[in-house]
Amino acid sequence: MEYILIFISAIFVNNIILSQFLGICPFLGVSKKVDTSLGMSAAVAFVLTLATIVTWCVQKFVLDPNGLQYLQTIAFILVIASLVQMVEIILKKVSPALYQALGIFLPLITTNCAVLGVAILCIQKDYDLLQSVVYAFSTAIGFGLALTVFAGMREQLELVSIPKGMRGMAIVMLSAGLNILKRRIKKTQGARAS
């Protein structure tokens, strides 16, 4: 039951983008087309889950036993950067079209604060390895869901007449802000009702 709660909470309640505002750069940059956002979601899911496993092991078996917890951020960044390089090499060989579609955004996973944030949150929440994996994968699903839904919205916005001053990033930021505001209002109303 605990794993189901972690799963549902990470996807819908505490969505990494919509509630915790982590991973905004790829959210705004890659959400132009649904196909690209799905590819980015898959790459982030793979990196996020694998990075969480490796960083959890580094924390529990290297940093904690040796009293080196203060090196957590640096160690985690190095692990994430290495994993992203590995994903980039694999994508280049397995799916050149997806590699081309992602372009500059694949290396940006290295600096995606959602990946580092999830790794650190798993340690802060004192999750065991299985809980950490469930949390990381669920967070990746929530990230992909938000990214894909927003990409669909942006594709629809291209079909409507928008005033010249609101085209491009302006309408994107306004749409994202309104969706987040709507989510916050519903969350506040739900808290008052209980």
Side-chain angles (χ1 to χ4, degrees):
M1 185 66 170
E2 182 179 351
Y3 298 109
I4 294 171
L5 290 174
I6 291 172
F7 185 79
I8 292 171
S9 173
I11 294 173
F12 300 111
V13 180
N14 294 318
N15 186 288
I16 198 82
I17 292 175
L18 302 176
S19 287
Q20 300 180 31
F21 306 110
L22 295 173
I24 297 293
C25 293
F27 176 66
L28 295 174
V30 182
S31 62
K32 291 180 183 175
K33 297 186 186 249
V34 173
D35 295 340
T36 309
S37 67
L38 288 172
M40 180 63 148
S41 299
V44 167
F46 177 73
V47 170
L48 193 61
T49 306
L50 192 58
T52 300
I53 293 169
V54 175
T55 55
W56 188 90
C57 291
V58 166
Q59 181 74 34
K60 298 299 180 184
F61 299 121
V62 177
L63 299 179
D64 286 349
N66 296 312
L68 300 172
Q69 293 88 349
Y70 60 91
L71 293 175
Q72 180 188 59
T73 304
I74 294 170
F76 286 10
I77 288 171
L78 291 173
V79 166
I80 292 166
S82 302
L83 289 173
V84 170
Q85 289 298 318
M86 183 180 74
V87 169
E88 192 170 359
I89 291 167
I90 291 170
L91 271 182
K92 196 173 188 177
K93 291 184 182 209
V94 173
S95 178
L98 180 58
Y99 176 77
Q100 285 296 103
L102 291 175
I104 188 70
F105 298 110
L106 189 58
L108 287 178
I109 294 176
T110 305
T111 58
N112 184 349
C113 56
V115 178
L116 179 62
V118 168
I120 291 174
L121 283 170
C122 288
I123 302 301
Q124 287 177 348
K125 293 180 181 207
D126 201 29
Y127 284 160
D128 61 30
L129 183 58
L130 186 56
Q131 289 171 324
S132 296
V133 170
V134 169
Y135 180 72
F137 187 71
S138 306
T139 300
I141 291 172
F143 177 88
L145 181 67
L147 194 66
T148 306
V149 166
F150 198 67
M153 261 179 38
R154 284 181 75 173
E155 284 183 357
Q156 291 296 315
L157 284 172
E158 290 180 15
L159 302 175
V160 296
S161 177
I162 299 172
K164 190 175 183 178
M166 289 300 294
R167 291 184 188 147
M169 193 53 74
I171 194 70
V172 170
M173 295 299 286
L174 182 63
S175 299
L178 289 174
N179 281 324
I180 291 170
L181 180 63
K182 180 181 173 185
R183 184 175 169 80
R184 289 285 181 178
I185 289 171
K186 284 185 178 181
K187 196 173 184 179
T188 304
Q189 288 173 344
R192 287 183 189 160
S194 13

